[in-house]
Amino acid sequence: MELHDLVDLGRYPIDRPDSPAYERMILDLRRELDTDGCAVLPGFVHDEGIAALVKEADKVAPNAHRSFGRTNAYFSQDDPKLRRTHPIRQFFERSNAFVPADNFPAKGPLRRIYEYPGFMPFIRAALNEPEDRFFRYDDPLADVIINVVEEGQGFPWHFDTNNFTVTLAIQNGETGGQFEYVPGLRTSEDENFEGVARVLDGDMRNVRQLELQPGDLQIFKGRYSLHRVAAVKGERTRYVGIFSFVETEGMCGGVERTKQLYGRVLQHHYDREGRRSDQLLD
Ligand SMILES: O=C(O)CCC(=O)C(=O)O
Ligand SMILES: [Fe+2]
């Protein structure tokens, strides 16, 4: 399986895991993840690869599920029993559109990157996770998707369900669309509702901002880092590819979240509801 027509393998030798260059790359990424809770690989996909990905995105964008509505950081329902200021009760406007994973064939450029045999071991090594706790997201609607964001749309503060998130910038809006995140705001043992409430309330002290360029790959721990995408402005649509990985085999999106984001839910989601190795809300 070849990847050089999409990925800059000279700069990022994910096809040569035994080389010193690979080892150096992994050490650099680990350092970045330790200090910033996030690592960026500029130009991971080269210009020609991006052209192929934009073409694929343009083709499937009409199949995106457009969803508008108010969501909290956990994509859960309101709980009127809690005090009014509790993060579960803080709802923000979200409008975006996800192209569900079943739009991306194995031979298309986006899934070819995700399913390239060396890609998962590379992401796992960068995150320094053990082999028995690292899997692709077992979600036929969400393992690899494109987030389509048009003028005026954005994605408010939230946590991902999948433990690890890898995003690939494919096309930027004219302006806006910056990514903001707070690394490690919750852990698998602690929701840290107080810390989350402070950020939702506008405390920007621990918020970091990123502006990715098309071709840049970003690795971060989406289940533990609160994050959001600023509204996009201008005519051009923002496309971001999202590849998800989890620590528990068979883990997929919950029923409520999947309904909200993809507009449908499969038997698969009911069968696996609650398959998590932590007690977090979503
Ligand atoms: O579009 C992005 O950059 C990320 C969107 C996001 O956070 C998500 O889809 O969960
Ligand atoms: Fe997210």
Side-chain angles (χ1 to χ4, degrees):
M1 207 167 159
E2 300 251 340
L3 205 61
H4 59 77
D5 59 325
L6 297 169
V7 172
D8 185 346
L9 295 175
R11 193 166 174 194
Y12 302 108
I14 66 170
D15 58 334
R16 289 181 287 129
D18 298 323
S19 64
Y22 187 93
E23 196 180 320
R24 267 198 311 275
M25 170 175 73
I26 296 298
L27 291 178
D28 284 350
L29 292 170
R30 284 186 186 169
R31 204 169 311 119
E32 222 178 305
L33 277 157
D34 277 348
T35 38
D36 298 332
C38 181
V40 178
L41 293 81
F44 181 79
V45 172
H46 52 59
D47 290 351
E48 238 174 86
I50 282 299
L53 283 155
V54 169
K55 199 165 154 201
E56 181 173 46
D58 282 340
K59 189 167 137 212
V60 296
N63 304 341
H65 173 69
R66 291 185 161 64
S67 66
F68 306 85
R70 293 172 68 72
T71 53
N72 64 14
Y74 313 96
F75 296 87
S76 66
Q77 284 172 353
D78 189 20
D79 184 351
K81 290 195 295 296
L82 298 170
R83 64 179 194 279
R84 228 169 245 298
T85 52
H86 194 285
I88 291 180
R89 307 213 58 193
Q90 307 309 308
F91 284 75
F92 299 93
E93 285 300 327
R94 178 181 54 77
S95 59
N96 76 304
F98 279 148
V99 180
D102 51 3
N103 284 274
F104 299 98
K107 290 202 165 113
L110 195 67
R111 197 172 279 283
R112 270 181 53 219
I113 297 174
Y114 189 55
E115 295 189 359
Y116 176 74
F119 190 66
M120 183 167 91
F122 153 67
I123 299 297
R124 183 176 65 71
L127 285 159
N128 207 3
E129 291 292 325
E131 227 168 293
D132 61 345
R133 282 172 61 94
F134 205 81
F135 307 91
R136 286 195 205 129
Y137 205 22
D138 188 9
D139 193 321
L141 296 181
D143 61 345
V144 45
I145 58 169
I146 286 183
N147 186 19
V148 177
V149 188
E150 289 170 344
E151 167 109 65
Q153 303 180 336
F155 213 123
W157 289 119
H158 69 281
F159 294 103
D160 294 343
T161 294
N162 52 288
N163 305 86
F164 313 109
T165 309
V166 178
T167 61
L168 173 67
I170 296 174
Q171 177 170 282
N172 279 352
E174 272 150 45
T175 55
Q178 295 88 349
F179 181 82
E180 291 184 328
Y181 70 104
V182 185
L185 192 59
R186 69 175 181 179
T187 65
S188 49
E189 285 86 40
D190 180 13
E191 289 278 5
N192 185 17
F193 287 127
E194 275 176 30
V196 175
R198 278 196 294 274
V199 179
L200 299 183
D201 213 32
D203 181 347
M204 296 294 281
R205 269 176 300 175
N206 297 316
V207 175
R208 302 177 190 208
Q209 205 187 56
L210 267 184
E211 240 173 297
L212 299 179
Q213 297 307 316
D216 296 356
L217 191 80
Q218 174 203 3
I219 305 174
F220 81 110
K221 300 186 183 181
R223 188 158 178 75
Y224 312 108
S225 311
L226 193 69
H227 56 283
R228 70 175 173 185
V229 180
V232 164
K233 300 199 184 79
E235 293 249 308
R236 197 169 52 227
T237 302
R238 174 183 181 273
Y239 292 137
V240 167
I242 303 178
F243 311 108
S244 294
F245 299 92
V246 292
E247 63 179 16
T248 307
E249 200 164 12
M251 190 168 161
C252 70
V255 169
E256 173 67 26
R257 181 191 197 103
T258 303
K259 274 188 200 156
Q260 283 189 34
L261 294 176
Y262 299 94
R264 60 193 155 114
V265 40
L266 311 174
Q267 188 58 42
H268 186 97
H269 297 97
Y270 288 104
D271 293 346
R272 287 165 181 71
E273 182 81 324
R275 193 177 295 190
R276 312 272 182 268
S277 48
D278 59 41
Q279 303 289 316
L280 295 174
L281 275 175
D282 42 341

